[in-house]
Amino acid sequence: MATSASASLSKAVKQQYMQLPQGDKVQAMYIWVDGTGEGLRCKTRTLDSEPKSIEDLPEWNFDGSSTYQAEGSNSDMYLIPSAMFRDPFRKDPNKLVLCEVLKYNRKPTETNLRVTCNKVMEMVKDQHPWFGMEQEYTILGTDGHPFGWPSNGFPGPQGPYYCGVGADKAYGRDIVEAHYKACLYAGVKICGTNAEVMPAQWEFQVGPCEGIEMGDHLWASRFILHRVCEDFGVIASFDPKPIPGNWNGAGCHTNFSTKEMREDGGLKAIEESIEKLGKRHRYHIRAYDPKGGLDNARRLTGHHETSNIDEFSAGVANRGASIRIPRSVGQDKKGYFEDRRPSANCDPYGVTEALIRTCLLNEEGDEPADY
């Protein structure tokens, strides 16, 4: 099993330094989405005291020509602190700081989808939109081979692995447990986890989160997962179809509701939203992965619990549909629905914004409205 060279460094030696007192100083790790729309970057600065809110955190900058976000001749980019979490790696009082990225002219970069998402969420905040996202991922060795798979073949076919227990069924549970605890410590609203259908594939769920908080907490949870995997010397992949053939892909099913949908008789509002989504399928497919639908085309085939990328469908308890209404929601006549189309490497800001635009702002057509 190929693991990174860093993983073989002595963690016991590192620990004696990590336990040294740091006085009144605080380490703040600034985190941002790079120019790919799916990669994360980070760097750390020292603060003189513990920040109590976002307002206490200074703006910062970085070299955008090295993150696919600018050319070298004009490469300074601004980091704008947007959400703050406890740091599970350096521990209190240190912080993780999720940032927006602005260009030299203070306009958002192409992959800073938080700005428009936040604007749209503000417009509908009286409807209290809640989200919950189910993040699937695959653990890979540094050679890109799925963790625990035989080096020159395949494990047994899918069937025993989903929610499985036992060394021959659960591949890499240590990473899942470490990530779960780290998210809880950080204050990320992680609400569950399970082994997935393909061996070495797992899922965790984040939510319920209201408005912009969904994107903030999902990106923070992804960063924490990458860092945990780095410590173990392996890779977390959000590729929507890491292994071609008869193996499940990886998605990021998104559960959505408003105050109206959660109250008695809310099923009517749910059905109205689904009807609107059906008329805007192409727009959503474009918004649901960082390559405008190309990544999802490998996953949304109509097989392996997915819908066909070219067709819109909805049904109660149907995991082969674009939109699933949970069985309990059909019975209670209120609750939420699940959009099963977003890919594992989607930008949660883009996904949640698209749902609000179509379902609550009643937008139509293939382009988002400009407010």
Side-chain angles (χ1 to χ4, degrees):
M1 185 73 226
T3 56
S4 70
S6 302
S8 61
L9 292 171
S10 168
K11 304 302 176 193
V13 172
K14 178 192 170 191
Q15 202 48 39
Q16 64 187 26
Y17 298 107
M18 296 305 286
Q19 288 166 348
L20 292 172
Q22 56 186 65
D24 295 332
K25 303 293 185 186
V26 171
Q27 290 171 291
M29 182 174 275
Y30 282 44
I31 302 158
W32 69 97
V33 181
D34 70 16
T36 65
E38 47 187 321
L40 286 164
R41 307 290 178 119
C42 63
K43 62 177 190 165
T44 303
R45 68 183 296 164
T46 304
L47 304 175
D48 291 330
S49 60
E50 184 179 355
K52 300 298 181 204
S53 70
I54 281 297
E55 290 70 41
D56 297 339
L57 293 159
E59 286 186 15
W60 205 8
N61 57 62
F62 69 95
D63 164 21
S65 68
S66 301
T67 60
Y68 316 116
Q69 285 168 300
E71 70 276 1
S73 59
N74 191 5
S75 66
D76 273 7
M77 316 288 279
Y78 297 103
L79 289 172
I80 314 299
S82 303
M84 183 169 68
F85 300 89
R86 295 167 71 198
D87 186 338
F89 306 102
R90 295 168 172 153
K91 305 200 179 74
D92 289 339
N94 304 304
K95 305 294 180 195
L96 301 179
V97 182
L98 195 65
C99 298
E100 284 185 19
V101 181
L102 302 183
K103 297 190 246 195
Y104 68 95
N105 56 6
R106 309 284 298 181
K107 287 190 163 49
T109 57
E110 286 66 27
T111 54
N112 175 0
L113 305 190
R114 191 180 188 276
V115 171
T116 52
C117 180
N118 203 15
K119 187 187 287 185
V120 163
M121 292 299 173
E122 278 297 310
M123 292 169 69
V124 298
K125 65 181 178 191
D126 57 330
Q127 298 186 54
H128 300 286
W130 287 6
F131 301 93
M133 297 182 84
E134 308 168 23
Q135 178 68 68
E136 293 179 335
Y137 64 96
T138 311
I139 303 172
L140 308 176
T142 49
D143 56 359
H145 196 66
F147 181 81
W149 285 34
S151 56
N152 55 358
F154 295 91
Q158 297 184 154
Y161 308 107
Y162 171 72
C163 297
V165 62
D168 56 341
K169 299 179 186 70
Y171 294 23
R173 193 187 295 276
D174 283 357
I175 287 156
V176 178
E177 295 295 338
H179 173 252
Y180 202 149
K181 275 288 175 66
C183 283
L184 289 172
Y185 181 94
V188 169
K189 292 187 173 179
I190 188 169
C191 61
T193 187
N194 58 271
E196 265 306 329
V197 177
M198 186 177 88
Q201 185 187 56
W202 295 81
E203 170 182 306
F204 62 89
Q205 302 92 28
V206 177
C209 294
E210 189 164 325
I212 196 69
E213 190 180 58
M214 183 68 251
D216 292 345
H217 282 246
L218 194 74
W219 275 119
S221 70
R222 285 176 175 177
F223 174 81
I224 292 169
L225 180 63
H226 286 310
R227 270 291 285 105
V228 167
C229 285
E230 186 185 316
D231 282 349
F232 282 102
V234 295
I235 294 164
S237 169
F238 296 119
D239 189 284
K241 189 77 175 177
I243 308 296
N246 201 18
W247 302 98
N248 272 37
C252 194
H253 302 155
T254 301
N255 302 279
F256 172 59
S257 70
T258 60
K259 189 168 182 286
E260 185 186 6
M261 293 175 194
R262 295 186 292 273
E263 290 173 347
D264 288 344
L267 186 61
K268 183 172 178 288
I270 290 171
E271 287 169 342
E272 285 168 359
S273 283
I274 292 171
E275 194 173 328
K276 293 174 197 170
L277 289 167
K279 294 174 181 162
R280 220 180 178 208
H281 181 61
R282 278 217 317 242
Y283 163 73
H284 282 267
I285 289 295
R286 278 216 322 271
Y288 283 2
D289 80 48
K291 298 189 178 70
L294 292 177
D295 274 346
N296 241 342
R298 293 183 284 126
R299 166 182 161 255
L300 295 179
T301 58
H303 304 290
H304 306 110
E305 300 180 55
T306 69
S307 56
N308 187 304
I309 194 166
D310 297 317
E311 296 162 14
F312 180 86
S313 55
V316 174
N318 182 357
R319 283 180 160 75
S322 312
I323 306 289
R324 178 179 73 95
I325 297 176
R327 174 93 54 217
S328 60
V329 173
Q331 289 165 350
D332 298 342
K333 304 279 188 280
K334 63 179 178 182
Y336 65 97
F337 66 85
E338 174 193 51
D339 192 334
R340 297 178 62 81
R341 296 171 294 176
S343 71
N345 61 346
C346 69
D347 188 322
Y349 298 127
V351 171
T352 55
E353 177 185 332
L355 283 166
I356 296 295
R357 284 178 178 275
T358 302
C359 299
L360 304 189
L361 297 177
N362 304 317
E363 290 185 20
E364 295 175 350
D366 285 347
E367 294 301 325
D370 195 11
Y371 298 107

